[in-house]
Amino acid sequence: ALSAGASVLVVCAASQEVGPELISTLAKLLAVSLAANAVLLLLEVGLRPASEDARRATALLIKGALKEGFWAGAMGFGGLLPLALLLGSGFRAEADVAYILAAVSSLIGLWICEDLWIKAGQAVPLS
């Protein structure tokens, strides 16, 4: 939620031409939230699942048919790419384009991750 909110605020702030220090602060918040989101997501798929069904769904997501979408889409396009754009900008006030690209990439990656998470849970037969 923090990554999505920060992404939307970055895009809104850049399109409204607010003060550069506000956009830079929002970009820093987005970077911190992306790093935290990536760590939490890796912990969630790396820790021992509570049930056999959850283990099978997680395996499908990280090693199975959904792995390309998860690693390239959710983690790469939605996590590493925006984080690289933000860190590469040096959080300079005039880096609006990098901030907007990072924010949009983050939102797309979050959507991919949520979509795959639902698909993985529904793909495992429960009986």
Side-chain angles (χ1 to χ4, degrees):
L2 188 58
S3 295
S7 294
V8 170
L9 287 174
V10 164
V11 171
C12 290
S15 68
Q16 295 299 317
E17 298 180 17
V18 298
E21 55 280 339
L22 175 61
I23 296 173
S24 179
T25 301
L26 290 170
K28 290 174 186 172
L29 176 64
L30 178 57
V32 169
S33 68
L34 285 169
N37 188 53
V39 168
L40 291 173
L41 192 56
L42 289 172
L43 283 173
E44 192 161 3
V45 298
L47 294 177
R48 182 176 166 87
S51 69
E52 179 61 20
D53 293 330
R55 187 199 60 75
R56 290 172 57 202
T58 302
L60 181 65
L61 190 63
I62 62 173
K63 299 187 272 194
L66 302 176
K67 70 179 178 186
E68 289 86 10
F70 178 75
W71 293 113
M75 294 302 289
F77 193 76
L80 294 178
L81 175 63
L83 200 51
L85 286 167
L86 292 169
L87 294 175
S89 74
F91 300 104
R92 294 182 315 276
E94 64 276 356
D96 287 355
V97 174
Y99 297 156
I100 292 171
L101 289 174
V104 171
S105 177
S106 170
L107 289 171
I108 292 170
L110 287 169
W111 177 77
I112 291 169
C113 185
E114 293 302 317
D115 182 60
L116 291 173
W117 204 261
I118 291 169
K119 287 179 181 175
Q122 293 176 344
V124 176
L126 300 178
S127 60

